[in-house]
């Protein structure tokens, strides 16, 4: 257990749902500030209103089920998600097959309400349930030489009709630097809106990195490999000019085909006003120091 902070609030603190949700967000913000900023003044984050269940589960990118935004909701139901295990290998002290049913009882599950920003300029606010990736890494014991973490999605053609087409180099892979992976905001999510995560959103377990574009948040993870060099990532392999390794939400760096300076909220209506995108998706205070001294136009 990372054991970075203790939640001192009790159920008696929880009154109306709206206040409850906002309060949880403030706790998440305090935790991140305290754990990462080490002595820096923690700040109360602005309140976030989550999007609806419909909005979050019926408009997805999960290319293993097709490239249409409604394909995953239509086709992912056939995916078998139980039993499930994650292979943890590479530069770890205890490599092996970790059954999800064994992992979960050892993890501190909590709710995190995060902004979520996809590259095509839509954004939403999602209440995830999960545990910190750092805790899972500690379970396997990261070797001192490790510098990066590679992730891989299940590849099961008989249940994933989209992989019949070479739109991406299957299996879907992603990667983080070890310090990004260990950051307290980085979550392995197993639930959403207090329900098990639906297949189209990456059941039974997916990554959530709230300061990066949504495509870094790899779904249905079956392998985590600790490495000593930057691992390949699916979108970078598909189009290196458009998708870099870092993929931080950065309104100052345009995607070659569109501006990333503003965003439109899912559920805000077709004519909803675009609003300015925040640096690191609003998590600048928590994560900017990870990139101190780096040129973020080079490392996009
Ligand atoms: N993971 C896998 N395995 N396959 C995918 O196609 N799409 C990514 C990411 N994770 C994807 C994936 C993209 S482009 C986005 S925007 C998010 O998942 C979408 O997550 P959501 O459906 O929960 O909104």
């Amino acid at each position: 257990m990372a054991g970075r902070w203790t939640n001192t609030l009790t159920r008696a603190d929880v009154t109306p749902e709206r206040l409850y949700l906002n309060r949880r967000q403030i706790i998440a913000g305090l935790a991140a500030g305290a754990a990462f900023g080490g002595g820096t003044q923690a700040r109360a984050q602005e309140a976030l209103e989550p999007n609806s269940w419909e909005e979050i589960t019926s408009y997805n990118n999960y290319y293993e089920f097709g490239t249409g935004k409604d394909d995953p909701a239509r086709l992912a139901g056939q995916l078998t998600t139980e039993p499930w295990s994650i292979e943890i290998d590479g530069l770890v002290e205890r490599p092996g097959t970790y059954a999800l049913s064994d992992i979960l009882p050892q993890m501190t599950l909590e709710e995190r309400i995060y902004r979520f920003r996809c590259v095509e300029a839509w954004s939403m606010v999602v209440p995830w349930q999960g545990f910190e990736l750092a805790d899972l890494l500690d379970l396997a014991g990261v070797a001192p030489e490790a510098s990066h973490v590679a992730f891989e999605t299940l590849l099961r053609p008989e249940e994933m009709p989209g992989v019949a087409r070479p739109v991406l180099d299957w299996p879907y892979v992603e990667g983080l630097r070890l310090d990004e992976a260990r950051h307290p905001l980085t979550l392995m999510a197993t639930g959403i809106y207090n329900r098990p995560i639906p297949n189209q959103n990456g059941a039974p377990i997916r990554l959530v990195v709230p300061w990066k574009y949504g495509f870094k948040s790899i779904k249905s993870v079956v392998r985590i490999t600790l490495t000593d060099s930057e691992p390949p990532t699916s979108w970078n392999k598909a189009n290196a000019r458009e998708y870099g390794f870092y993929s931080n939400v950065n309104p100052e760096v345009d995607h070659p085909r569109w501006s990333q300076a503003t965003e439109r909220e899912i559920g805000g209506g077709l004519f909803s006003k675009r609003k300015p995108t925040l640096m690191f998706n609003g998590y600048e205070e928590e994560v900017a120091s990870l990139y101190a001294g780096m040129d973020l136009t080079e490392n996009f």
Side-chain angles (χ1 to χ4, degrees), residues 55-57 59-66 69 72 116-120 122 124 126 128 152-154 160 168 170-174 192 197 200-202 206-207 213-220 235:
E55 287 156 2
I56 289 169
T57 60
Y59 185 85
N60 306 100
N61 282 331
Y62 196 163
Y63 277 24
E64 287 86 336
F65 296 96
K69 297 265 189 251
F116 195 68
R117 169 72 154 73
C118 266
V119 76
E120 298 91 345
W122 51 268
M124 48 172 85
V126 181
W128 302 101
E152 193 178 303
T153 292
L154 176 77
M160 295 174 146
L168 290 173
W170 312 110
Y172 194 101
V173 291
E174 256 307 335
I192 191 168
I197 214 161
Q200 59 266 34
N201 292 87
R206 56 132 356 128
L207 181 69
Y213 289 107
F215 64 87
K216 289 297 275 189
S217 293
I218 182 171
K219 297 177 170 179
S220 309
W235 286 100

